[in-house]
Amino acid sequence: MGELLNAGMLSVASLVVSLVLLLAGLVAWFFVNRASSRTNEQIELLETLVDLQKRQNALLRRLCDANEPEVKEAPKVAEETASNQDDDFIRLVAER
C-alpha cells in the first residue's frame, strides 16, 4: 500500500512541477511579447520622426536657396588678404 501512495505522490508532484513550469513560461512569454510590441511601436514612431525631419530639411534647403544673396566680388578680396596674413604669421614662427 505504501508503494501505491508513493507512486501517486510522484505523479502529483510531476503534475505540479509541470503546471509551475507552464505558468512560468506563460508569464515569460507575456513580458517578452509586451516588450516586443512596445519596441515595434517605438520603431514606428522613430521612423515617422525621421520622415518628418527629412521633410523639414528639404523645406529648409528650399528656403535657404530662395533667400540666398547674390555672390559679390568683395569676399574674394577678403580671402586674398586673409591668405597674406596667414603667410605673415608663418614667417613669424621660428624654425628649428
Side-chain angles (χ1 to χ4, degrees):
M1 179 110 167
E3 294 172 3
L4 290 176
L5 185 60
N6 287 339
M9 290 298 283
L10 184 61
S11 65
V12 170
S14 67
L15 181 64
V16 169
V17 169
S18 298
L19 288 175
V20 168
L21 288 175
L22 178 66
L23 183 63
L26 288 174
V27 169
W29 174 80
F30 171 76
F31 284 111
V32 168
N33 190 22
R34 183 175 171 209
S36 175
S37 64
R38 282 189 173 184
T39 302
N40 289 338
E41 289 174 1
Q42 289 177 350
I43 289 172
E44 289 176 12
L45 289 173
L46 288 173
E47 287 175 349
T48 304
L49 283 174
V50 166
D51 186 42
L52 290 173
Q53 285 179 344
K54 286 180 182 179
R55 289 181 187 177
Q56 286 178 348
N57 286 340
L59 289 173
L60 183 62
R61 198 170 291 130
R62 280 193 230 153
L63 182 65
C64 288
D65 290 342
N67 292 333
E68 186 175 282
E70 295 180 13
V71 178
K72 297 180 182 178
E73 294 295 323
K76 291 181 182 178
V77 174
E79 289 176 6
E80 292 175 3
T81 57
S83 65
N84 289 340
Q85 290 174 354
D86 290 341
D87 291 340
D88 293 340
F89 181 71
I90 292 174
R91 290 181 193 158
L92 292 176
V93 176
E95 294 183 16
R96 293 184 184 191

